[in-house]
Amino acid sequence: MDIAFFQDVFLRLLGGVPLTLQLAGISLSIGFVLAVVLAIALHNASPLVVLPLRGYVALFRGTPLLVQIFLIYYGLGQFRPSLQAMGVWWLFREPYWCVILALTLNTAAYGAEILRGGLQSVPAGQIEAALACGMSRGLLYRRIVLPLAFRQALPAYGNEIILMVKGTSLASIVTLLEVTGIAHQIISQTYRAIEVFICAGAIYLILNFAITRALAWLEHRLSPHLRPPPAARSATQKGEAA
Amino acid sequence: MDLPAFVSLLGFSEKGWGPALLTAAGMTVLLSASGVVLGALFGGLAAFARLKGGRLARGTADAYCTLFRGVPDLLTIYLLYFGGSSLLTAVGRFFGAQGFVGLPTFATGVLALAIISGAYQAEVYRGAFLAIPAGQIEAARALAMPGPLMLRRIILPQLLRYAIPGLGNVWQLILKDSALLSVIGLVELMRQSQIGAGSTRQPFVFYIAAAVLYLVITFISGALIRRAEKRSLRGVRRA
Protein backbone atom coordinates (compact mmCIF):
# COMPACT_ATOMS: atom_id res chain seq x y z
CA MET A 1 0.00 0.00 0.00
CA ASP A 2 1.38 3.31 -1.08
CA ILE A 3 -0.10 5.82 1.35
CA ALA A 4 1.60 8.82 -0.25
CA PHE A 5 0.11 7.95 -3.64
CA PHE A 6 -3.38 7.58 -2.16
CA GLN A 7 -3.06 10.92 -0.44
CA ASP A 8 -1.86 12.63 -3.58
CA VAL A 9 -4.66 11.13 -5.72
CA PHE A 10 -7.32 11.93 -3.14
CA LEU A 11 -6.25 15.57 -2.91
CA ARG A 12 -6.17 15.94 -6.70
CA LEU A 13 -9.61 14.36 -7.01
CA LEU A 14 -11.01 16.67 -4.33
CA GLY A 15 -10.21 19.51 -6.73
CA GLY A 16 -12.94 18.16 -9.01
CA VAL A 17 -15.64 18.12 -6.34
CA PRO A 18 -16.71 21.77 -6.77
CA LEU A 19 -17.36 21.23 -10.49
CA THR A 20 -19.27 17.99 -9.82
CA LEU A 21 -21.42 19.75 -7.23
CA GLN A 22 -21.94 22.76 -9.52
CA LEU A 23 -23.12 20.61 -12.43
CA ALA A 24 -25.44 18.58 -10.20
CA GLY A 25 -26.67 21.59 -8.19
CA ILE A 26 -27.49 23.87 -11.12
CA SER A 27 -29.15 21.21 -13.26
CA LEU A 28 -31.12 19.78 -10.34
CA SER A 29 -32.43 23.21 -9.27
CA ILE A 30 -33.56 24.30 -12.72
CA GLY A 31 -34.69 20.75 -13.50
CA PHE A 32 -36.85 20.69 -10.39
CA VAL A 33 -38.69 23.89 -11.33
CA LEU A 34 -39.24 22.55 -14.85
CA ALA A 35 -40.37 19.20 -13.45
CA VAL A 36 -43.02 20.84 -11.24
CA VAL A 37 -44.41 22.82 -14.17
CA LEU A 38 -44.30 19.77 -16.44
CA ALA A 39 -45.93 17.50 -13.87
CA ILE A 40 -48.80 19.94 -13.29
CA ALA A 41 -49.26 20.32 -17.04
CA LEU A 42 -49.16 16.55 -17.61
CA HIS A 43 -51.69 16.09 -14.84
CA ASN A 44 -54.18 18.75 -15.90
CA ALA A 45 -53.69 20.13 -19.36
CA SER A 46 -55.63 19.32 -22.50
CA PRO A 47 -54.45 16.41 -24.67
CA LEU A 48 -53.11 18.92 -27.18
CA VAL A 49 -50.53 20.12 -24.61
CA VAL A 50 -50.01 16.75 -22.96
CA LEU A 51 -49.08 14.84 -26.11
CA PRO A 52 -45.92 16.81 -27.02
CA LEU A 53 -44.91 16.89 -23.34
CA ARG A 54 -45.27 13.11 -23.17
CA GLY A 55 -43.08 12.88 -26.25
CA TYR A 56 -40.41 15.00 -24.55
CA VAL A 57 -40.52 12.89 -21.39
CA ALA A 58 -40.37 9.63 -23.38
CA LEU A 59 -37.46 10.92 -25.48
CA PHE A 60 -35.33 11.88 -22.49
CA ARG A 61 -36.22 8.83 -20.41
CA GLY A 62 -35.79 6.40 -23.28
CA THR A 63 -32.34 7.43 -24.52
CA PRO A 64 -28.95 7.35 -22.78
CA LEU A 65 -27.78 10.56 -21.15
CA LEU A 66 -24.59 10.31 -23.19
CA VAL A 67 -26.58 10.49 -26.44
CA GLN A 68 -28.34 13.59 -25.13
CA ILE A 69 -25.07 15.28 -24.21
CA PHE A 70 -23.53 14.44 -27.60
CA LEU A 71 -26.64 15.57 -29.43
CA ILE A 72 -26.49 18.96 -27.75
CA TYR A 73 -22.72 19.46 -27.73
CA TYR A 74 -21.62 17.91 -31.05
CA GLY A 75 -24.96 17.60 -32.85
CA LEU A 76 -26.03 21.21 -32.58
CA GLY A 77 -22.56 22.26 -33.69
CA GLN A 78 -23.72 21.26 -37.16
CA PHE A 79 -26.01 24.32 -37.12
CA ARG A 80 -23.30 26.71 -36.01
CA PRO A 81 -24.06 29.49 -38.53
CA SER A 82 -27.74 29.68 -37.63
CA LEU A 83 -26.98 29.44 -33.89
CA GLN A 84 -24.48 32.28 -34.30
CA ALA A 85 -27.12 34.29 -36.14
CA MET A 86 -29.51 33.73 -33.24
CA GLY A 87 -26.81 34.84 -30.78
CA VAL A 88 -26.89 31.64 -28.71
CA TRP A 89 -23.65 30.10 -29.99
CA TRP A 90 -21.78 31.04 -26.79
CA LEU A 91 -24.07 28.63 -24.96
CA PHE A 92 -23.57 25.67 -27.30
CA ARG A 93 -19.86 26.30 -27.74
CA GLU A 94 -19.06 25.63 -24.08
CA PRO A 95 -19.12 22.00 -22.92
CA TYR A 96 -20.04 23.30 -19.45
CA TRP A 97 -23.34 24.81 -20.59
CA CYS A 98 -24.10 21.91 -22.91
CA VAL A 99 -23.73 19.42 -20.08
CA ILE A 100 -25.86 21.56 -17.78
CA LEU A 101 -28.52 21.85 -20.48
CA ALA A 102 -28.52 18.08 -21.09
CA LEU A 103 -28.58 17.21 -17.39
CA THR A 104 -31.36 19.74 -16.76
CA LEU A 105 -33.58 18.46 -19.56
CA ASN A 106 -32.87 14.89 -18.47
CA THR A 107 -33.68 15.38 -14.80
CA ALA A 108 -36.74 17.48 -15.66
CA ALA A 109 -38.15 14.56 -17.66
CA TYR A 110 -37.52 12.00 -14.90
CA GLY A 111 -38.65 14.45 -12.22
CA ALA A 112 -41.88 15.22 -14.06
CA GLU A 113 -42.79 11.52 -14.09
CA ILE A 114 -41.95 11.18 -10.39
CA LEU A 115 -43.93 14.28 -9.39
CA ARG A 116 -46.84 13.26 -11.62
CA GLY A 117 -47.04 10.08 -9.57
CA GLY A 118 -47.06 12.24 -6.45
CA LEU A 119 -49.87 14.43 -7.81
CA GLN A 120 -51.92 11.34 -8.65
CA SER A 121 -51.56 10.09 -5.10
CA VAL A 122 -53.21 13.16 -3.56
CA PRO A 123 -56.55 11.89 -2.19
CA ALA A 124 -59.59 13.33 -3.95
CA GLY A 125 -61.17 14.13 -0.58
CA GLN A 126 -58.38 16.59 0.22
CA ILE A 127 -59.01 18.49 -3.00
CA GLU A 128 -62.78 18.42 -2.53
CA ALA A 129 -62.39 19.74 1.00
CA ALA A 130 -60.18 22.59 -0.21
CA LEU A 131 -62.63 23.46 -2.98
CA ALA A 132 -65.50 23.31 -0.47
CA CYS A 133 -63.62 25.89 1.63
CA GLY A 134 -63.63 28.14 -1.41
CA MET A 135 -59.90 27.95 -2.12
CA SER A 136 -58.75 29.33 -5.45
CA ARG A 137 -56.90 27.06 -7.86
CA GLY A 138 -53.52 28.63 -6.98
CA LEU A 139 -54.06 28.46 -3.24
CA LEU A 140 -55.27 24.86 -3.56
CA TYR A 141 -52.03 23.88 -5.27
CA ARG A 142 -49.78 25.86 -2.95
CA ARG A 143 -51.30 24.75 0.34
CA ILE A 144 -52.80 21.32 -0.32
CA VAL A 145 -51.79 19.53 -3.50
CA LEU A 146 -48.10 20.35 -3.90
CA PRO A 147 -47.05 19.72 -0.27
CA LEU A 148 -48.81 16.35 -0.27
CA ALA A 149 -47.40 15.44 -3.68
CA PHE A 150 -43.84 16.44 -2.69
CA ARG A 151 -44.03 14.39 0.47
CA GLN A 152 -45.22 11.38 -1.50
CA ALA A 153 -42.63 11.81 -4.26
CA LEU A 154 -39.66 12.54 -1.99
CA PRO A 155 -38.12 9.02 -1.80
CA ALA A 156 -38.23 8.58 -5.57
CA TYR A 157 -36.94 12.11 -6.13
CA GLY A 158 -34.08 11.31 -3.77
CA ASN A 159 -33.04 8.44 -6.04
CA GLU A 160 -33.16 10.81 -8.98
CA ILE A 161 -30.85 13.26 -7.17
CA ILE A 162 -28.30 10.50 -6.61
CA LEU A 163 -28.59 9.39 -10.24
CA MET A 164 -27.88 12.97 -11.29
CA VAL A 165 -24.76 13.18 -9.10
CA LYS A 166 -23.59 10.00 -10.81
CA GLY A 167 -24.67 11.42 -14.16
CA THR A 168 -22.33 14.39 -13.84
CA SER A 169 -19.48 11.92 -14.44
CA LEU A 170 -20.43 11.92 -18.15
CA ALA A 171 -19.24 15.53 -18.32
CA SER A 172 -15.72 14.11 -18.34
CA ILE A 173 -16.36 12.63 -21.81
CA VAL A 174 -16.81 16.15 -23.21
CA THR A 175 -13.54 17.28 -21.60
CA LEU A 176 -14.80 18.74 -18.30
CA LEU A 177 -12.47 17.92 -15.42
CA GLU A 178 -14.81 16.97 -12.62
CA VAL A 179 -14.03 14.06 -10.28
CA THR A 180 -14.34 11.30 -12.90
CA GLY A 181 -12.47 13.40 -15.46
CA ILE A 182 -9.53 13.88 -13.11
CA ALA A 183 -9.68 10.18 -12.18
CA HIS A 184 -9.46 9.22 -15.85
CA GLN A 185 -6.54 11.59 -16.30
CA ILE A 186 -4.64 10.08 -13.37
CA ILE A 187 -5.41 6.52 -14.50
CA SER A 188 -4.11 7.14 -18.00
CA GLN A 189 -0.95 8.72 -16.57
CA THR A 190 -0.20 6.10 -13.92
CA TYR A 191 -2.19 2.98 -14.93
CA ARG A 192 -3.05 2.45 -11.28
CA ALA A 193 -6.75 2.04 -11.86
CA ILE A 194 -7.61 0.30 -8.61
CA GLU A 195 -6.12 2.92 -6.28
CA VAL A 196 -7.69 5.78 -8.23
CA PHE A 197 -11.04 3.98 -8.32
CA ILE A 198 -10.96 3.55 -4.54
CA CYS A 199 -10.28 7.27 -4.00
CA ALA A 200 -12.85 8.52 -6.52
CA GLY A 201 -15.37 5.94 -5.33
CA ALA A 202 -14.89 7.13 -1.76
CA ILE A 203 -15.60 10.71 -2.81
CA TYR A 204 -18.83 9.76 -4.61
CA LEU A 205 -19.93 7.54 -1.73
CA ILE A 206 -19.37 10.36 0.75
CA LEU A 207 -21.36 12.77 -1.45
CA ASN A 208 -24.20 10.30 -1.88
CA PHE A 209 -24.18 9.43 1.80
CA ALA A 210 -24.52 13.11 2.72
CA ILE A 211 -27.41 13.47 0.26
CA THR A 212 -29.15 10.37 1.62
CA ARG A 213 -28.84 11.65 5.20
CA ALA A 214 -30.14 15.08 4.22
CA LEU A 215 -33.11 13.51 2.44
CA ALA A 216 -33.88 11.25 5.40
CA TRP A 217 -33.89 14.33 7.64
CA LEU A 218 -36.19 16.17 5.21
CA GLU A 219 -38.52 13.19 5.03
CA HIS A 220 -38.64 13.06 8.81
CA ARG A 221 -39.40 16.78 8.98
CA LEU A 222 -42.16 16.52 6.38
CA SER A 223 -44.03 13.65 7.98
CA PRO A 224 -44.81 14.62 11.58
CA HIS A 225 -48.44 13.66 10.92
CA LEU A 226 -47.39 10.05 10.32
CA ARG A 227 -45.72 9.73 13.72
CA PRO A 228 -47.54 9.37 17.03
CA PRO A 229 -47.65 12.67 18.97
CA PRO A 230 -44.83 13.16 21.52
CA ALA A 231 -47.18 12.64 24.49
CA ALA A 232 -48.40 9.29 23.18
CA ARG A 233 -44.86 8.23 22.35
CA SER A 234 -43.52 8.89 25.85
CA ALA A 235 -46.56 7.09 27.27
CA THR A 236 -45.84 3.94 25.24
CA GLN A 237 -42.18 4.10 26.24
CA LYS A 238 -43.23 4.23 29.91
CA GLY A 239 -45.62 1.38 29.25
CA GLU A 240 -42.80 -0.68 27.76
CA ALA A 241 -40.53 0.10 30.66
CA ALA A 242 -43.15 -0.89 33.23
CA MET B 1 -30.73 19.65 -44.37
CA ASP B 2 -32.77 18.39 -47.27
CA LEU B 3 -34.60 15.17 -46.71
CA PRO B 4 -33.19 13.06 -49.58
CA ALA B 5 -29.58 13.60 -48.48
CA PHE B 6 -30.36 12.53 -44.98
CA VAL B 7 -32.31 9.50 -46.19
CA SER B 8 -29.45 8.27 -48.35
CA LEU B 9 -27.00 8.88 -45.49
CA LEU B 10 -28.88 6.62 -43.10
CA GLY B 11 -30.34 4.35 -45.76
CA PHE B 12 -29.44 0.89 -46.91
CA SER B 13 -27.76 1.80 -50.19
CA GLU B 14 -24.08 1.16 -50.72
CA LYS B 15 -23.05 4.42 -49.07
CA GLY B 16 -25.76 4.34 -46.41
CA TRP B 17 -25.03 3.84 -42.73
CA GLY B 18 -28.26 1.96 -42.08
CA PRO B 19 -26.80 -1.58 -41.89
CA ALA B 20 -23.90 -0.45 -39.70
CA LEU B 21 -26.24 1.32 -37.28
CA LEU B 22 -28.66 -1.60 -37.11
CA THR B 23 -25.84 -4.06 -36.49
CA ALA B 24 -24.55 -1.77 -33.75
CA ALA B 25 -28.03 -1.62 -32.23
CA GLY B 26 -28.05 -5.41 -32.21
CA MET B 27 -24.69 -5.26 -30.44
CA THR B 28 -26.17 -2.95 -27.82
CA VAL B 29 -29.00 -5.42 -27.17
CA LEU B 30 -26.60 -8.38 -27.07
CA LEU B 31 -24.26 -6.56 -24.67
CA SER B 32 -27.04 -5.49 -22.34
CA ALA B 33 -28.68 -8.92 -22.38
CA SER B 34 -25.39 -10.69 -21.62
CA GLY B 35 -24.67 -8.16 -18.89
CA VAL B 36 -28.05 -8.62 -17.25
CA VAL B 37 -27.90 -12.45 -17.47
CA LEU B 38 -24.43 -12.59 -15.93
CA GLY B 39 -25.50 -9.91 -13.48
CA ALA B 40 -28.40 -12.14 -12.39
CA LEU B 41 -25.78 -14.58 -11.10
CA PHE B 42 -23.95 -11.84 -9.15
CA GLY B 43 -27.20 -10.32 -7.94
CA GLY B 44 -28.64 -13.68 -6.94
CA LEU B 45 -25.52 -14.56 -4.96
CA ALA B 46 -25.45 -11.14 -3.30
CA ALA B 47 -29.16 -11.34 -2.41
CA PHE B 48 -28.66 -14.85 -0.99
CA ALA B 49 -25.68 -13.63 1.06
CA ARG B 50 -27.64 -10.69 2.41
CA LEU B 51 -30.62 -12.86 3.34
CA LYS B 52 -29.00 -16.04 4.65
CA GLY B 53 -25.28 -15.40 4.84
CA GLY B 54 -23.08 -15.13 7.88
CA ARG B 55 -21.69 -11.82 9.00
CA LEU B 56 -18.77 -11.84 6.56
CA ALA B 57 -20.86 -12.79 3.51
CA ARG B 58 -23.52 -10.26 4.43
CA GLY B 59 -20.97 -7.51 4.89
CA THR B 60 -19.30 -8.27 1.56
CA ALA B 61 -22.62 -8.31 -0.28
CA ASP B 62 -23.70 -5.07 1.41
CA ALA B 63 -20.44 -3.41 0.43
CA TYR B 64 -20.76 -4.66 -3.17
CA CYS B 65 -24.30 -3.30 -3.54
CA THR B 66 -23.57 0.06 -1.90
CA LEU B 67 -20.34 0.59 -3.79
CA PHE B 68 -21.52 -0.14 -7.32
CA ARG B 69 -24.86 1.60 -6.92
CA GLY B 70 -23.21 4.70 -5.46
CA VAL B 71 -20.24 5.09 -7.79
CA PRO B 72 -20.73 6.44 -11.34
CA ASP B 73 -20.92 3.61 -13.85
CA LEU B 74 -18.32 5.31 -16.01
CA LEU B 75 -15.82 4.97 -13.16
CA THR B 76 -16.61 1.25 -12.86
CA ILE B 77 -15.95 0.85 -16.58
CA TYR B 78 -12.61 2.65 -16.28
CA LEU B 79 -11.70 0.43 -13.33
CA LEU B 80 -12.37 -2.77 -15.27
CA TYR B 81 -10.82 -1.64 -18.52
CA PHE B 82 -7.65 -0.03 -17.21
CA GLY B 83 -7.38 -2.20 -14.12
CA GLY B 84 -7.92 -5.38 -16.12
CA SER B 85 -5.56 -4.25 -18.86
CA SER B 86 -2.73 -3.40 -16.49
CA LEU B 87 -3.23 -6.76 -14.83
CA LEU B 88 -3.02 -8.46 -18.23
CA THR B 89 0.02 -6.39 -19.14
CA ALA B 90 1.75 -7.47 -15.95
CA VAL B 91 0.92 -11.11 -16.68
CA GLY B 92 2.12 -10.63 -20.26
CA ARG B 93 5.39 -9.13 -19.08
CA PHE B 94 5.87 -12.08 -16.76
CA PHE B 95 5.72 -14.35 -19.79
CA GLY B 96 8.06 -12.11 -21.72
CA ALA B 97 5.55 -10.17 -23.83
CA GLN B 98 6.33 -6.55 -24.65
CA GLY B 99 4.18 -3.48 -24.26
CA PHE B 100 0.56 -2.86 -23.37
CA VAL B 101 -2.00 -5.66 -23.55
CA GLY B 102 -5.58 -4.40 -23.87
CA LEU B 103 -8.48 -6.34 -22.44
CA PRO B 104 -10.97 -7.58 -25.05
CA THR B 105 -13.61 -4.86 -25.03
CA PHE B 106 -16.65 -7.11 -25.34
CA ALA B 107 -15.68 -9.17 -22.29
CA THR B 108 -14.90 -6.00 -20.33
CA GLY B 109 -18.20 -4.46 -21.35
CA VAL B 110 -20.26 -7.48 -20.37
CA LEU B 111 -18.40 -7.79 -17.08
CA ALA B 112 -18.92 -4.09 -16.30
CA LEU B 113 -22.64 -4.25 -17.06
CA ALA B 114 -22.92 -7.48 -15.05
CA ILE B 115 -21.23 -5.98 -12.00
CA ILE B 116 -23.39 -2.84 -12.15
CA SER B 117 -26.65 -4.66 -12.87
CA GLY B 118 -25.84 -7.31 -10.25
CA ALA B 119 -25.72 -4.64 -7.56
CA TYR B 120 -29.19 -3.45 -8.59
CA GLN B 121 -30.58 -6.94 -9.16
CA ALA B 122 -29.54 -8.02 -5.66
CA GLU B 123 -31.96 -5.46 -4.23
CA VAL B 124 -34.72 -6.61 -6.58
CA TYR B 125 -34.32 -10.27 -5.64
CA ARG B 126 -34.04 -9.52 -1.94
CA GLY B 127 -37.25 -7.50 -2.00
CA ALA B 128 -39.01 -10.17 -4.06
CA PHE B 129 -37.93 -12.93 -1.68
CA LEU B 130 -39.21 -10.99 1.31
CA ALA B 131 -42.54 -10.50 -0.48
CA ILE B 132 -43.20 -14.26 -0.65
CA PRO B 133 -45.72 -15.04 2.09
CA ALA B 134 -44.09 -16.97 4.93
CA GLY B 135 -46.95 -19.48 4.82
CA GLN B 136 -45.80 -20.71 1.42
CA ILE B 137 -42.40 -21.70 2.74
CA GLU B 138 -43.87 -23.14 5.94
CA ALA B 139 -46.28 -25.22 3.89
CA ALA B 140 -43.45 -26.54 1.73
CA ARG B 141 -41.50 -27.46 4.85
CA ALA B 142 -44.56 -29.11 6.37
CA LEU B 143 -44.71 -31.32 3.27
CA ALA B 144 -41.07 -32.23 3.96
CA MET B 145 -39.89 -30.78 0.66
CA PRO B 146 -36.12 -30.85 0.33
CA GLY B 147 -34.46 -27.44 -0.07
CA PRO B 148 -33.65 -27.58 -3.81
CA LEU B 149 -37.18 -28.74 -4.67
CA MET B 150 -38.68 -25.98 -2.54
CA LEU B 151 -36.43 -23.47 -4.29
CA ARG B 152 -37.48 -24.71 -7.73
CA ARG B 153 -41.20 -25.24 -7.14
CA ILE B 154 -42.17 -22.71 -4.48
CA ILE B 155 -39.63 -19.92 -4.13
CA LEU B 156 -38.32 -19.21 -7.64
CA PRO B 157 -41.70 -19.03 -9.44
CA GLN B 158 -43.13 -16.61 -6.90
CA LEU B 159 -39.89 -14.68 -6.56
CA LEU B 160 -39.80 -14.09 -10.30
CA ARG B 161 -43.35 -12.82 -10.27
CA TYR B 162 -42.49 -10.17 -7.69
CA ALA B 163 -39.17 -9.40 -9.38
CA ILE B 164 -40.41 -8.71 -12.92
CA PRO B 165 -41.18 -4.98 -12.49
CA GLY B 166 -37.83 -4.38 -10.77
CA LEU B 167 -35.95 -6.43 -13.36
CA GLY B 168 -37.63 -4.38 -16.09
CA ASN B 169 -36.22 -1.22 -14.52
CA VAL B 170 -32.75 -2.77 -14.29
CA TRP B 171 -32.94 -3.78 -17.96
CA GLN B 172 -33.84 -0.26 -19.09
CA LEU B 173 -31.06 1.17 -16.91
CA ILE B 174 -28.45 -1.23 -18.29
CA LEU B 175 -29.58 -0.64 -21.86
CA LYS B 176 -28.83 3.05 -21.43
CA ASP B 177 -25.64 2.34 -19.48
CA SER B 178 -24.30 0.28 -22.35
CA ALA B 179 -23.79 3.55 -24.27
CA LEU B 180 -20.98 4.34 -21.82
CA LEU B 181 -19.01 1.40 -23.20
CA SER B 182 -18.32 3.53 -26.25
CA VAL B 183 -15.53 5.15 -24.20
CA ILE B 184 -13.49 1.93 -24.30
CA GLY B 185 -13.91 1.67 -28.07
CA LEU B 186 -16.49 -1.09 -28.09
CA VAL B 187 -18.51 -0.63 -31.28
CA GLU B 188 -22.09 -0.58 -30.04
CA LEU B 189 -24.78 1.86 -31.14
CA MET B 190 -23.27 4.94 -29.48
CA ARG B 191 -19.76 4.28 -30.77
CA GLN B 192 -21.00 3.48 -34.28
CA SER B 193 -22.90 6.76 -34.45
CA GLN B 194 -19.79 8.57 -33.22
CA ILE B 195 -17.86 6.98 -36.07
CA GLY B 196 -20.55 7.94 -38.54
CA ALA B 197 -20.72 11.48 -37.18
CA GLY B 198 -16.96 11.82 -37.42
CA SER B 199 -16.55 10.56 -40.95
CA THR B 200 -19.54 12.38 -42.49
CA ARG B 201 -19.44 15.56 -40.37
CA GLN B 202 -23.16 15.21 -39.78
CA PRO B 203 -23.21 14.68 -35.99
CA PHE B 204 -26.81 15.82 -35.55
CA VAL B 205 -28.17 13.27 -38.03
CA PHE B 206 -26.26 10.40 -36.46
CA TYR B 207 -27.02 11.20 -32.84
CA ILE B 208 -30.70 11.67 -33.66
CA ALA B 209 -30.61 8.30 -35.44
CA ALA B 210 -28.97 6.76 -32.36
CA ALA B 211 -31.59 8.36 -30.10
CA VAL B 212 -34.40 6.98 -32.27
CA LEU B 213 -32.90 3.48 -32.27
CA TYR B 214 -32.48 3.57 -28.48
CA LEU B 215 -36.10 4.72 -28.19
CA VAL B 216 -37.26 1.86 -30.40
CA ILE B 217 -35.35 -0.63 -28.25
CA THR B 218 -36.68 0.78 -24.98
CA PHE B 219 -40.24 0.90 -26.35
CA ILE B 220 -40.19 -2.69 -27.57
CA SER B 221 -38.58 -4.00 -24.40
CA GLY B 222 -41.00 -1.94 -22.29
CA ALA B 223 -43.94 -3.54 -24.08
CA LEU B 224 -42.44 -7.03 -23.63
CA ILE B 225 -41.87 -6.39 -19.92
CA ARG B 226 -45.47 -5.25 -19.47
CA ARG B 227 -46.66 -8.38 -21.21
CA ALA B 228 -44.47 -10.58 -19.04
CA GLU B 229 -45.77 -8.82 -15.97
CA LYS B 230 -49.37 -9.33 -17.03
CA ARG B 231 -48.73 -12.98 -17.81
CA SER B 232 -46.99 -13.55 -14.48
CA LEU B 233 -50.06 -12.20 -12.69
CA ARG B 234 -52.57 -14.39 -14.53
CA GLY B 235 -52.99 -16.67 -11.53
CA VAL B 236 -53.43 -13.85 -9.03
CA ARG B 237 -56.85 -12.74 -7.89
CA ARG B 238 -57.28 -8.99 -8.09
CA ALA B 239 -58.76 -7.37 -5.03
Side-chain angles (χ1 to χ4, degrees):
Chain A
M1 285 285 248
D2 186 350
I3 299 291
F5 181 73
F6 267 103
Q7 205 174 9
D8 178 46
V9 167
F10 197 76
L11 287 177
R12 275 174 72 186
L13 289 174
L14 275 185
V17 171
L19 184 56
T20 292
L21 288 180
Q22 248 177 56
L23 293 172
I26 296 177
S27 49
L28 276 168
S29 321
I30 308 174
F32 177 71
V33 177
L34 277 176
V36 172
V37 176
L38 277 171
I40 294 176
L42 281 171
H43 193 60
N44 296 313
S46 69
L48 221 62
V49 184
V50 166
L51 215 63
L53 291 184
R54 278 226 189 106
Y56 157 77
V57 171
L59 176 69
F60 277 86
R61 280 169 33 114
T63 56
L65 181 56
L66 189 61
V67 173
Q68 294 158 22
I69 292 176
F70 273 43
L71 198 55
I72 292 173
Y73 182 54
Y74 295 112
L76 292 182
Q78 202 178 321
F79 307 110
R80 182 172 171 179
S82 30
L83 289 173
Q84 271 170 333
M86 280 191 282
V88 289
W89 177 241
W90 59 272
L91 186 82
F92 295 106
R93 193 184 53 197
E94 292 294 332
Y96 180 81
W97 294 115
C98 287
V99 168
I100 284 191
L101 185 62
L103 289 175
T104 304
L105 292 175
N106 185 278
T107 186
Y110 279 94
E113 268 309 285
I114 293 168
L115 291 177
R116 197 174 61 89
L119 287 176
Q120 270 172 357
S121 76
V122 175
Q126 301 272 351
I127 296 170
E128 278 166 17
L131 291 175
C133 290
M135 274 193 192
S136 69
R137 203 81 191 151
L139 195 64
L140 166 72
Y141 262 83
R142 187 158 60 83
R143 287 232 182 113
I144 311 292
V145 175
L146 286 182
L148 285 170
F150 285 148
R151 171 64 197 82
Q152 183 67 31
L154 191 62
Y157 214 96
N159 284 340
E160 170 58 20
I161 292 176
I162 291 187
L163 278 180
M164 264 300 112
V165 171
K166 291 169 63 181
T168 58
S169 66
L170 300 197
S172 64
I173 300 179
V174 287
T175 71
L176 289 182
L177 285 179
E178 40 64 72
V179 177
T180 304
I182 296 176
H184 183 217
Q185 219 177 29
I186 303 176
I187 290 176
S188 37
Q189 283 161 5
T190 62
Y191 278 93
R192 293 167 79 165
I194 295 167
E195 289 98 324
V196 177
F197 177 81
I198 290 172
C199 291
I203 289 177
Y204 280 106
L205 287 183
I206 292 167
L207 283 182
N208 288 336
F209 181 73
I211 293 168
T212 324
R213 297 308 309 163
L215 286 166
W217 175 82
L218 190 65
E219 204 176 319
H220 184 80
R221 278 292 305 273
L222 289 180
S223 47
H225 57 291
L226 298 178
R227 292 191 293 273
R233 215 178 321 161
S234 58
T236 49
Q237 271 163 6
K238 263 178 224 152
E240 277 161 17
Chain B
M1 178 176 40
D2 48 331
L3 197 68
F6 135 83
V7 167
S8 70
L9 193 61
L10 296 178
F12 291 84
S13 65
E14 210 162 303
K15 280 187 179 168
W17 285 78
L21 285 177
L22 281 186
T23 315
M27 186 62 164
T28 286
V29 173
L30 181 66
L31 256 180
S32 315
S34 321
V36 169
V37 169
L38 185 60
L41 182 69
F42 296 166
L45 284 177
F48 183 74
R50 291 182 76 171
L51 285 164
K52 306 275 157 178
R55 184 176 285 181
L56 182 70
R58 216 166 47 215
T60 316
D62 271 339
Y64 164 66
C65 291
T66 319
L67 182 66
F68 288 100
R69 288 192 311 155
V71 163
D73 307 324
L74 189 57
L75 213 53
T76 307
I77 292 169
Y78 286 148
L79 169 77
L80 286 173
Y81 186 61
F82 290 101
S85 296
S86 48
L87 206 70
L88 264 190
T89 308
V91 172
R93 202 162 290 157
F94 182 75
F95 289 108
Q98 295 291 318
F100 180 76
V101 185
L103 213 58
T105 51
F106 186 82
T108 317
V110 169
L111 192 62
L113 293 182
I115 288 178
I116 296 164
S117 78
Y120 284 96
Q121 285 186 66
E123 287 295 293
V124 173
Y125 295 137
R126 198 173 69 99
F129 180 81
L130 293 176
I132 297 174
Q136 297 279 336
I137 292 165
E138 277 165 23
R141 287 229 178 88
L143 292 172
M145 258 194 200
L149 190 67
M150 179 165 81
L151 187 73
R152 184 160 61 83
R153 284 227 186 120
I154 310 294
I155 296 177
L156 281 184
Q158 299 192 65
L159 187 132
L160 271 181
R161 172 188 290 163
Y162 292 116
I164 285 178
L167 285 181
N169 287 340
V170 172
W171 166 252
Q172 303 278 29
L173 185 89
I174 289 303
L175 203 57
K176 286 177 262 169
D177 258 6
S178 71
L180 297 183
L181 294 170
S182 61
V183 299
I184 60 171
L186 177 53
V187 185
E188 38 67 73
L189 182 49
M190 184 71 208
R191 181 76 196 135
Q192 187 61 259
S193 38
Q194 268 173 287
I195 295 169
S199 60
T200 61
R201 310 206 166 211
Q202 302 264 3
F204 191 76
V205 177
F206 277 92
Y207 294 136
I208 283 284
V212 169
L213 284 173
Y214 275 113
L215 269 181
V216 168
I217 299 172
T218 46
F219 265 51
I220 292 174
S221 46
L224 289 177
I225 291 162
R226 271 193 301 279
R227 239 175 90 178
E229 198 179 326
K230 221 168 166 184
R231 190 175 154 75
S232 76
L233 292 175
R234 70 197 184 284
V236 178
R237 189 173 43 166
R238 283 277 197 81

